[in-house]
Amino acid sequence: MATGRTHRPATRSRGIPEATVARLPLYLRALTALSERSVPTVSSEELAAAAGVNSAKLRKDFSYLGSYGTRGVGYDVEYLVYQISRELGLTQDWPVVIVGIGNLGAALANYGGFASRGFRVAALIDADPNMAGTPVAGMPVQHTDELEKIIDDNGVSIGVISTPAGAAQQVCDRLVAAGITSILNFAPTVLSVPDGVDVRKVDLSIELQILAFHEQRKAGEEAGAEAVVADAVAEAAAADAPVAESDAEAAAPPAARAETTDRKGPDGDVPAVMPA
Amino acid sequence: MATGRTHRPATRSRGIPEATVARLPLYLRALTALSERSVPTVSSEELAAAAGVNSAKLRKDFSYLGSYGTRGVGYDVEYLVYQISRELGLTQDWPVVIVGIGNLGAALANYGGFASRGFRVAALIDADPNMAGTPVAGMPVQHTDELEKIIDDNGVSIGVISTPAGAAQQVCDRLVAAGITSILNFAPTVLSVPDGVDVRKVDLSIELQILAFHEQRKAGEEAGAEAVVADAVAEAAAADAPVAESDAEAAAPPAARAETTDRKGPDGDVPAVMPA
DNA sequence: CGGTGTGAAGTGTTTCACAGCT
DNA sequence: AGCTGTGAAACACTTCACACCG
């Protein structure tokens, strides 16, 4: 392996739990909406409902930030918006570069949610020379050759990778070498980065796969045969006992099972790989 | 609030922990890559490295699926690919509809990662009548009016929402009414759905905000002033003692007060809100 | 040996429930 | 009277470390 990636000692950041940090943006969004409606205060119950969490969790989360509420009353909306923004570091301006201006990159460049939260798209970068100069979201696409210079000139510390999987690691290496320390990766690949560099990934197909898993369970359950079916199969297979049952559409990959090795597996509808 | 949403008893899915389910797609991707290179077997160590997790976790994860490895040898790649695919429900075909064909919707429609994993885009739907018929990713966009019919005709159970935030809940309600039970939401809003409907969300700006948080911490630390600063403030505030210190850029909203790190500082004062 | 599978220990997160402030 | 803030209990997930087996 290259460097120690996966390494996420989770920014033991002095105190705020990761799980809480991940929810702060959610609270902030809800609060912002309230603020726009000029609502002066909210109770943990109301805000929790708006953010889609339960109130105990919300109060516990806020307790890590300090005591920003008033007992018997609730929280002051404006004050909280400010405190959370500050905690998240959104009171400062964060220039970001987006590398890989395909469909997704363009979507990101046009995404209003960035600009509205202290993030400023400093540059759009693509390896295709033909794209250079083409305006996307009112901004000319620049060539990869400029990458280092752009990052340096703008003091960029956050990079977004929306290139095809094949180019991601390479782009990542250049970003890191150029001084970037936080990366948001949309390419379906595991990136290796040195310690000290933070990587978060968003994988569209993974989310769908997780949904499929639950969807499958639901189907199984309502079909009368408790979700136990798939289970029994798995266990039988594990136990190596040839599944005698007939009620499962699972278990025997054409020629898989006991003898393991050999064929490509299922009918052919098994994945087929291929990254974005 | 409407129904009991947020409700995620986490599909106590007869055993497999949510955290494990979320990693299965990762393993699957790594395995698929190995499979293409015709690698017959992998050790937990190797596969873990490829998937970006540690080997103990991987072995524990696999242990929930059954005993699919061979001691002293490792795992059979093809066999594991099949087992994981089956567990995730990818051996069957999942038709999905994408509602909201803007930049992001188009990007999703073109995303190869879907088709390659058993997901089939059954239809692209948009509310703009002018888009109807326009081909996106080789497929004509259909009007929202057709939504119910499309879902019914194709037996769709998974929907992707990539509309603006304002339209999301409404679209969601229609999807649910039409029989959809799993939703992948890209709109920056909390969706209310009845029990039994699964929602996963992907919020681009939230990911960036989390990165900003960590980035801020890094900056603070290397700036000599340990991250303890913010802490002292929080604690002082909690203790309710009016922060007498001078070294904190926190505590006072509207007319913020003493600045330490001084960085961009709250010159503009309290944020300024405004959502996506 | 080498590497899986897994109890047991360790760590992190959520939920409960209520004391304490306004 | 109402709602926050928070210990403590419950639960979930991760890591350890080693027995066991091919």
Side-chain angles (χ1 to χ4, degrees):
Chain A
M1 266 302 106
T3 39
R5 40 140 188 39
T6 306
H7 231 50
R8 177 178 286 262
T11 306
R12 60 91 191 54
S13 55
R14 182 289 333 296
I16 305 183
E18 259 312 293
T20 294
V21 171
R23 280 187 296 267
L24 292 181
L26 229 53
Y27 301 143
L28 183 55
R29 185 162 73 204
L31 284 164
T32 300
L34 290 172
S35 169
E36 283 179 338
R37 294 199 283 124
S38 301
V39 175
T41 59
V42 253
S43 65
S44 61
E45 202 68 58
E46 296 165 330
L47 183 53
V53 303
N54 72 50
S55 62
K57 195 185 287 181
L58 178 144
R59 286 200 303 278
K60 181 59 101 176
D61 282 344
F62 285 180
S63 80
Y64 292 117
L65 308 185
S67 293
Y68 294 152
T70 307
R71 293 172 198 237
V73 180
Y75 301 91
D76 178 87
V77 175
E78 295 301 330
Y79 187 53
L80 247 195
V81 164
Y82 175 74
Q83 291 301 346
I84 295 179
S85 293
R86 187 175 57 76
E87 196 65 57
L88 285 172
L90 304 181
T91 49
Q92 68 186 279
D93 175 72
W94 293 105
V96 309
V97 291
I98 299 177
V99 187
I101 313 302
N103 271 296
L104 181 58
L108 295 172
N110 280 292
Y111 183 56
F114 288 176
S116 69
R117 296 267 189 293
F119 298 101
R120 180 170 50 80
V121 178
L124 304 181
I125 302 174
D126 198 283
D128 181 354
N130 297 324
M131 286 210 69
T134 309
V136 171
M139 190 167 223
V141 173
Q142 294 179 265
H143 191 267
T144 317
D145 290 348
E146 313 291 328
L147 194 147
E148 287 76 10
K149 184 177 189 326
I150 294 171
I151 290 174
D152 203 53
D153 290 356
N154 296 276
V156 179
S157 54
I158 301 180
V160 176
I161 298 178
S162 47
T163 64
Q169 182 62 58
Q170 199 179 329
V171 166
C172 173
D173 292 344
R174 284 185 66 179
L175 288 175
V176 170
I180 273 186
T181 44
S182 287
I183 293 174
L184 181 51
N185 178 35
F186 285 88
T189 327
V190 173
L191 295 179
S192 291
V193 296
D195 278 0
V197 176
D198 237 317
V199 176
R200 290 192 66 85
K201 68 170 165 9
V202 174
D203 190 315
L204 313 177
S205 122
I206 282 182
E207 297 301 322
L208 269 193
Q209 290 174 61
I210 296 173
L211 279 180
F213 172 84
H214 293 304
E215 191 61 38
Q216 180 186 223
R217 288 288 161 129
K218 286 182 213 161
E221 263 164 42
E222 73 193 23
E226 282 289 324
V228 188
V229 179
D231 236 29
V233 173
E235 260 144 53
D240 194 283
V243 179
E245 262 37 4
S246 56
D247 59 32
E249 88 291 25
R257 134 76 70 25
E259 59 276 44
T260 51
T261 349
D262 78 282
R263 57 155 321 163
K264 199 274 159 61
D267 21 355
D269 81 282
V270 147
V273 297
M274 154 196 187
Chain B
M1 49 179 102
T3 40
R5 41 146 184 34
T6 307
H7 232 51
R8 177 179 285 263
T11 307
R12 60 93 193 55
S13 52
R14 192 45 300 63
I16 306 182
E18 259 312 292
T20 294
V21 172
R23 281 187 296 267
L24 292 181
L26 229 52
Y27 301 143
L28 184 56
R29 185 161 74 203
L31 284 165
T32 300
L34 292 172
S35 169
E36 283 178 338
R37 295 198 283 124
S38 301
V39 176
T41 60
V42 252
S43 64
S44 61
E45 202 67 58
E46 297 165 329
L47 184 53
V53 303
N54 71 51
S55 63
K57 195 185 286 182
L58 179 144
R59 287 201 302 279
K60 181 60 102 178
D61 282 343
F62 285 179
S63 80
Y64 292 117
L65 307 184
S67 293
Y68 295 151
T70 306
R71 294 175 197 235
V73 179
Y75 301 91
D76 179 87
V77 175
E78 295 300 329
Y79 187 53
L80 247 195
V81 164
Y82 175 74
Q83 291 300 346
I84 294 179
S85 294
R86 186 174 58 74
E87 196 65 56
L88 285 171
L90 303 181
T91 49
Q92 67 185 279
D93 176 72
W94 294 103
V96 309
V97 291
I98 299 177
V99 186
I101 314 302
N103 271 298
L104 182 57
L108 295 172
N110 279 294
Y111 184 55
F114 289 175
S116 69
R117 295 269 188 290
F119 298 102
R120 181 169 49 79
V121 177
L124 304 181
I125 303 175
D126 198 282
D128 181 354
N130 297 324
M131 287 211 68
T134 309
V136 170
M139 188 168 227
V141 172
Q142 294 179 266
H143 190 266
T144 318
D145 290 346
E146 313 290 328
L147 192 148
E148 287 77 8
K149 185 177 188 327
I150 294 170
I151 291 173
D152 203 54
D153 288 358
N154 296 275
V156 179
S157 54
I158 300 179
V160 176
I161 297 179
S162 47
T163 64
Q169 183 62 59
Q170 199 179 328
V171 165
C172 172
D173 292 343
R174 284 185 67 179
L175 288 175
V176 171
I180 273 186
T181 44
S182 287
I183 293 174
L184 181 52
N185 179 34
F186 284 89
T189 326
V190 173
L191 295 179
S192 291
V193 297
D195 278 0
V197 175
D198 237 316
V199 176
R200 288 192 68 84
K201 70 171 165 6
V202 174
D203 189 315
L204 314 177
S205 122
I206 282 181
E207 297 300 323
L208 269 193
Q209 291 175 59
I210 296 173
L211 279 180
F213 172 85
H214 294 304
E215 192 61 37
Q216 179 186 225
R217 288 288 161 127
K218 285 182 212 160
E221 263 164 43
E222 74 192 22
E226 283 291 324
V228 188
V229 179
D231 233 27
V233 174
E235 260 144 52
D240 190 287
V243 181
E245 263 37 359
S246 57
D247 60 29
E249 84 286 30
R257 61 101 90 71
E259 265 100 46
T260 326
T261 7
D262 122 290
R263 44 170 193 223
K264 201 285 168 49
D267 45 10
D269 245 342
V270 168
V273 296
M274 157 196 190

